[in-house]
Amino acid sequence: MTEPLEKRLEKAMAELQSAQEAVARTERELRSASFSSLSSDRAVRATAGPQGELAGIEFLENKYRDMSPQELAASVLEAASAARLKMNRHVMKAMAPFAEPSSDVPELKGFELDWERIFGPEVLREDAARGGRAAPAWRDALGEEGGD
């Protein structure tokens, strides 16, 4: 026997309110989130803020003094890209439950998010997700000597 419409509507409204509260909590958490990453040469630490923006750069142990401008730029870009990628993946993980279908209300199917379109293809790459160190694409543009 099917559930009365009133009861189904009541469940749907309760789930909607619960989802709205969860979204508000998640938004508050994401507004204060940040992630940092070190460059592979351990010369630079970059921090990405809640919207993936560059929120901080630290030059570690004066290593930058012995680096060419191209090497330093590459280290900054590497650390900043890695920090931004961590933030993007954190957003994906935090928002994933809101895209899933409802177990209590079958009419609420959830929705699909195109994370690649939002954050770029690197956010879905397996090698980076597992901590693999594939050479960043921007290093290829610098060439062997770090120049153009």
Side-chain angles (χ1 to χ4, degrees), residues 34 39 42 73 82 89 96 113:
S34 66
S39 58
R42 305 187 68 75
R89 288 195 171 128
L113 293 168

Side-chain angles (χ1 to χ4, degrees), residues 37-39 41-46 57-65 67 72:
S37 268
L38 288 173
S39 58
D41 59 12
R42 305 187 68 75
V44 177
R45 177 183 296 119
I57 292 281
E58 294 176 68
F59 299 103
L60 306 172
E61 301 176 14
N62 292 322
K63 290 181 180 182
Y64 68 93
R65 293 180 187 269
M67 299 172 81
L72 181 58

Side-chain angles (χ1 to χ4, degrees), residues 116-143:
E116 185 174 350
R117 195 173 115 238
I118 294 168
F119 294 128
E122 66 277 357
V123 79
L124 299 176
R125 289 197 185 125
E126 288 295 321
D127 57 335
R130 289 191 198 125
R133 290 242 179 225
W138 52 263
R139 285 217 189 255
D140 295 338
L142 291 177

Side-chain angles (χ1 to χ4, degrees), residues 3 6-7 9-10 28-29 52-53 56-57 70 77 94 105 112 120 125 143-144:
E3 197 172 25
E6 265 183 29
K7 190 69 172 169
L9 185 55
E10 187 178 303
R28 281 191 302 274
E29 185 274 325
E53 76 279 11
I57 292 281
Q70 293 86 359
L77 287 174
V105 184
E112 190 171 317
R125 289 197 185 125
E144 278 294 314

Side-chain angles (χ1 to χ4, degrees), residues 5-54:
L5 182 58
E6 265 183 29
K7 190 69 172 169
R8 288 175 43 210
L9 185 55
E10 187 178 303
K11 276 185 177 178
M13 291 301 292
E15 183 147 339
L16 177 60
Q17 180 160 354
S18 176
Q20 287 173 327
E21 291 167 0
V23 166
R25 278 191 310 274
T26 301
E27 284 177 348
R28 281 191 302 274
E29 185 274 325
L30 288 175
R31 273 195 297 267
S32 64
S34 66
F35 286 87
S36 295
S37 268
L38 288 173
S39 58
S40 57
D41 59 12
R42 305 187 68 75
V44 177
R45 177 183 296 119
T47 302
Q51 295 180 335
E53 76 279 11
L54 187 58

